[in-house]
Amino acid sequence: MLCARRLGSLGAGVAALRPGRAGRCSHGARGRARGVSTSWSPVGAAFNVKPQGHRLDLFGERGGLFGVPELCAPEGFRIAQEEALRKTEQLVERVCSIPPGMQTVLIFDELSDALCRVADLADFVKIAHPEPSFRMAAEEACRSIGTMVEKLNTNVELYQSLQKLLADKKLVESLDAETRRVAELFMFDFEISGIHLDEEKRRRAVDLNVEILDLSSTFLMGANFPNKIEKRLLPEHISRSFARDGEHVVIDGLHAEAPDDLVREAAYKIFLYPNVGQLKCLEQLLSSRDLLAKLVGYSTFSHRALQGTIAQNPETVMQFLEKLSDKLSQRTIKDFEMMRGMKMKLNPQNSELMPWDPPYYSGVIRAERYNIEPSLYCPFFSLGACMEGLNILFNKLLGISLYAEQPAKGEVWSEDVRKLAVVHDSEGLLGYIYCDFFQRAGKPHQDCHFTIRGGRLKADGDYQLPVVVLMLSLPHSSRNSPTLLTPGMMENLFHEMGHAMHSMLGRTRYQHVTGTRCPTDFAEVPSILMEYFSSDYRVINQFARHYQTGQRLPRHMVSRLCESKKVCAAADMQLQVFYATLDQIYHGRHPLRKSTTDILKETQEQFYGLPYVPNTIWSHFYPGPSSDCSPPTYASYVVGITGMHS
């Protein structure tokens, strides 16, 4: 019934559930960061200066998150979900009592929208809000709405109301193509949920879906926790490279770009150290998904997840991955040989290439061969300049402008979140993008796109404007400079903005198919296309200027940057093939022929080529950061350990 998707790079997009304003724009923040000698457009200035956020006012009125009045406090989630459930009951009763026709599809979509507007928002808040009380309330709302979704997907009376429509050939022919397609998609949701089963098995399917929702949420939260180790267990020169918490060192990622081999090794071994709770959760999640798939008539969960995508089935996906791996094989070997040679040159005492080495040594090779040290580029890629570049690009291509707006008190969850209005030259306001771009304690280290509200044509003729969040993990500005992006960060920004514009421009009558609510293996296409713009000198020349001098980024530096992306590209792509293959095996035939850890080891050595490191389990966590110039990922074909689709 619902179709909520979070999209991101490197397999970081999430499908937490499976169903699915007119305003005046201000120019927002003004001013410039200290040391900036160039002038910025309003949207550029909004990202190159610290926001003039509201200070905490215990006695003043606070609005709600995203302008939803109820969400001025955590308790508002209960009010919002109860209202959504009341409206759901009314709509179900209504659609089951009217004759079949176009109105049936409109009510189905309104029903989906009522649930999505709570579930999608809560799905974001439970991950990103800094206050535990908000996260817990959002988590409960997700569970409540998710349970209702699964009940509706096995509601026989509701199913029959749609079946009557689709069974009437004349009625179907009278529908426009969009309405017919949406009706078929709602029917598809019924079918993969087990509507054909007897009552007892339908109840079992609902229970399994709710169990999977809980396990996915638990696994997702566990995957974001850092690991700690007593600092006395590490040499001082290594421990000081990490954050400290009393007598412990906190490892919150792979530190893949650290120049010290021992620092990268320590981060890899500590961050990926096996977690008993995560292992148990992963095994239960895979088992429950397999049980659900078999219960509703599929041989594997992968078959169920891939039905309705462009790839269609896991056999096609595996054939693609195996052929791609064969084609990459010799080039990957050469890439690894280059990296070994560089490691031997810089560290002759320990020249064996290990899994924590490729991001660093491929970067060193690129920098040496093309002189593309990121620090040479960062001054030209201030965040404000990059946002200005996106604004110029969208204006020239699409007649769209971005305007910074001052959010109301309580509308955003952190004072450094920026709000953008997306405005078309002739059609006016298209929607809103909330930019949660900066690092903060407890925030996941992921680049993601979240749909908060989907667009749709309402009954009164007005269009419900889409609302999305882009979440990045960028450094804050310093006292003397704005936030400066590496080329890889800039490319990721363009990628994620591609998702956001997909949501803004994918205007449909029905929210069930709006924007990124499309086949998951197509959803990455607009964002991948945006990456090509970030590598084109004609685009870069419009905005890349030194934050102090205003100097344009020289053309030869852009050419070197583009050429450098070809270096070690096969090894980077091979890593993505490994991720996708592992996921297909995990969600393939059960019982698994080996433990999840043994399968990871075997698959890594077969499809990646670097040795498995004992007592590390990547599959309990997310993949670490890629190299600065990573290729497009093939995670679009990944079912997703946590229910994710990139």
Side-chain angles (χ1 to χ4, degrees):
M1 219 78 243
L2 295 177
C3 193
R5 295 188 184 120
R6 177 197 321 156
L7 299 170
S9 59
L10 291 175
V14 174
L17 296 174
R18 181 185 41 73
R21 309 161 211 22
R24 187 177 176 185
C25 302
S26 68
H27 281 132
R30 295 175 176 84
R32 61 184 66 170
R34 185 175 300 180
V36 176
S37 63
T38 185
S39 60
W40 305 105
S41 69
V43 73
F47 287 86
N48 268 0
V49 297
K50 289 187 179 296
Q52 304 299 310
H54 296 288
R55 293 184 178 275
L56 180 62
D57 182 355
L58 297 177
F59 303 101
E61 278 191 36
R62 281 176 68 86
L65 288 170
F66 298 102
V68 179
E70 296 87 350
L71 298 184
C72 58
E75 296 75 24
F77 274 104
R78 180 168 293 279
I79 298 171
Q81 75 187 42
E82 288 175 352
E83 175 58 30
L85 295 177
R86 274 196 299 272
K87 186 173 182 180
T88 295
E89 290 180 6
Q90 295 169 0
L91 290 170
V92 169
E93 183 177 347
R94 183 178 164 201
V95 78
C96 292
S97 62
I98 64 170
M102 182 174 179
Q103 192 65 20
T104 303
V105 184
L106 290 170
I107 296 174
F108 262 78
D109 192 66
E110 189 178 356
L111 176 58
S112 177
D113 182 64
L115 295 169
C116 276
R117 289 180 64 172
V118 178
D120 290 354
L121 194 157
D123 183 49
F124 169 73
V125 171
K126 74 176 184 180
I127 290 170
H129 203 288
E131 295 181 29
S133 56
F134 267 97
R135 295 197 301 269
M136 290 175 63
E139 173 71 29
E140 178 55 36
C142 279
R143 192 176 195 281
S144 176
I145 298 296
T147 300
M148 175 55 70
V149 168
E150 300 309 335
K151 288 180 178 178
L152 292 177
N153 281 337
T154 54
N155 182 312
V156 174
E157 190 177 5
L158 190 61
Y159 161 74
Q160 288 174 342
S161 69
L162 185 64
Q163 187 186 42
K164 289 176 185 176
L165 170 63
L166 292 175
D168 190 321
K169 188 175 179 181
K170 286 187 178 180
L171 275 178
V172 171
E173 289 176 350
S174 71
L175 302 176
D176 60 89
E178 184 181 5
T179 301
R180 191 182 310 129
R181 175 61 178 158
V182 171
E184 291 168 351
L185 288 173
F186 280 122
M187 180 58 73
F188 175 74
D189 284 338
F190 280 121
E191 291 168 349
I192 67 171
S193 297
I195 194 67
H196 54 286
L197 303 174
D198 60 39
E199 185 176 354
E200 182 180 346
K201 288 182 178 178
R202 287 199 308 274
R203 281 200 299 267
R204 175 60 177 151
V206 170
D207 291 342
L208 279 170
N209 270 306
V210 173
E211 181 180 313
I212 289 167
L213 185 65
D214 289 341
L215 288 167
S216 296
S217 180
T218 300
F219 188 89
L220 179 64
M221 294 302 178
N224 284 313
F225 287 143
N227 270 339
K228 294 183 179 181
I229 187 173
E230 292 181 49
K231 63 183 181 183
R232 65 180 179 82
L233 299 176
L234 292 175
E236 175 62 24
H237 78 280
I238 294 178
S239 65
R240 65 169 174 252
S241 298
F242 307 115
R244 297 194 180 189
D245 181 11
E247 294 301 309
H248 288 81
V249 170
V250 180
I251 315 293
D252 61 356
L254 298 182
H255 293 253
E257 304 295 341
D260 189 322
D261 288 355
L262 292 177
V263 169
R264 296 195 309 279
E265 180 178 354
Y268 189 95
K269 290 181 175 179
I270 296 169
F271 184 67
L272 299 182
Y273 190 78
N275 180 298
V276 174
Q278 284 291 93
L279 175 60
K280 184 178 179 181
C281 187
L282 173 62
E283 290 175 344
Q284 289 178 332
L285 180 56
L286 295 177
S287 176
S288 295
R289 285 178 169 173
D290 181 68
L291 288 172
L292 175 64
K294 289 174 178 171
L295 179 65
V296 299
Y298 294 88
S299 57
T300 71
F301 186 82
S302 186
H303 282 88
R304 180 178 182 269
L306 287 166
Q307 186 173 344
T309 66
I310 296 171
Q312 295 186 333
N313 58 64
E315 290 79 17
T316 300
V317 172
M318 285 304 299
Q319 184 181 37
F320 167 75
L321 293 173
E322 288 168 357
K323 284 186 176 181
L324 181 59
S325 185
D326 288 342
K327 295 288 186 181
L328 289 171
S329 177
Q330 291 305 310
R331 288 183 59 191
T332 300
I333 291 171
K334 289 181 180 179
D335 285 353
F336 286 152
E337 287 174 352
M338 276 198 301
M339 294 180 209
R340 286 191 187 94
M342 181 57 71
K343 186 172 184 179
M344 184 176 295
K345 177 181 174 181
L346 298 180
N347 185 7
Q349 292 82 20
N350 183 17
S351 60
E352 182 182 4
L353 193 68
M354 298 300 290
W356 53 80
D357 289 328
Y360 175 70
Y361 284 110
S362 61
V364 171
I365 294 169
R366 292 183 183 107
E368 182 181 85
R369 188 173 294 183
Y370 292 99
N371 191 24
I372 58 153
E373 174 61 38
S375 62
L376 298 175
Y377 287 82
C378 290
F380 296 92
F381 292 142
S382 71
L383 177 57
C386 294
M387 293 303 297
E388 189 170 314
L390 286 163
N391 193 32
I392 293 169
L393 178 64
F394 294 146
N395 190 264
K396 289 188 174 183
L397 288 180
L398 305 166
I400 284 173
S401 298
L402 305 175
Y403 293 96
E405 287 197 348
Q406 179 68 39
K409 184 164 54 178
E411 184 179 351
V412 296
W413 49 100
S414 177
E415 68 172 10
D416 57 18
V417 173
R418 272 61 158 193
K419 179 184 179 183
L420 294 178
V422 181
V423 181
H424 189 270
D425 287 347
S426 60
E427 296 188 29
L429 184 61
L430 297 183
Y432 292 101
I433 303 171
Y434 289 83
C435 300
D436 186 358
F437 282 174
F438 301 102
Q439 298 169 350
R440 62 175 175 269
K443 178 182 174 182
H445 292 279
Q446 289 180 267
D447 294 347
C448 298
H449 164 280
F450 294 80
T451 296
I452 302 300
R453 184 177 69 195
R456 72 183 181 103
L457 186 64
K458 296 190 291 186
D460 60 7
D462 287 342
Y463 198 81
Q464 176 174 292
L465 299 178
V467 176
V468 304
V469 173
L470 293 189
M471 189 166 76
L472 306 178
S473 193
L474 303 177
H476 286 271
S477 59
S478 69
R479 184 176 180 181
N480 297 315
S481 71
T483 293
L484 302 178
L485 278 58
T486 65
M489 291 176 182
M490 184 269 285
E491 188 174 280
N492 281 350
L493 172 62
F494 271 64
H495 177 103
E496 298 304 331
M497 191 59 79
H499 287 311
M501 296 310 295
H502 190 179
S503 292
M504 296 296 111
L505 296 170
R507 292 167 73 89
T508 55
R509 179 186 298 164
Y510 303 100
Q511 68 85 36
H512 196 68
V513 291
T514 190
T516 57
R517 289 174 177 167
C518 58
T520 52
D521 45 2
F522 176 77
E524 290 295 315
V525 172
S527 52
I528 294 296
L529 289 176
M530 281 298 295
E531 292 183 26
Y532 286 97
F533 285 111
S534 73
S535 300
D536 192 307
Y537 178 73
R538 293 168 296 178
V539 176
I540 293 177
N541 188 51
Q542 298 290 320
F543 70 89
R545 43 196 164 131
H546 199 285
Y547 76 98
Q548 291 176 315
T549 67
Q551 175 195 355
R552 300 279 179 180
L553 181 64
R555 184 166 196 151
H556 66 87
M557 289 182 67
V558 178
S559 297
R560 290 204 307 263
L561 181 64
C562 293
E563 283 298 310
S564 73
K565 294 182 181 183
K566 301 174 185 177
V567 176
C568 300
D572 288 341
M573 196 177 294
Q574 189 72 58
L575 180 61
Q576 300 300 321
V577 172
F578 157 51
Y579 291 154
T581 304
L582 177 67
D583 201 71
Q584 290 296 321
I585 295 172
Y586 276 176
H587 291 92
R589 298 198 177 279
H590 279 242
L592 297 173
R593 52 188 173 75
K594 295 182 179 180
S595 70
T596 54
T597 303
D598 285 340
I599 289 172
L600 183 149
K601 176 181 177 181
E602 181 183 275
T603 308
Q604 178 171 328
E605 292 176 351
Q606 179 182 352
F607 283 91
Y608 188 40
L610 295 186
Y612 166 78
V613 179
N615 292 316
T616 64
I617 305 186
W618 166 82
S619 56
H620 291 181
F621 307 91
Y622 294 132
S626 68
S627 58
D628 205 34
C629 303
S630 59
T633 101
Y634 285 83
S636 305
Y637 295 106
V638 175
V639 174
I641 293 170
T642 62
M644 298 186 186
H645 300 268
S646 173

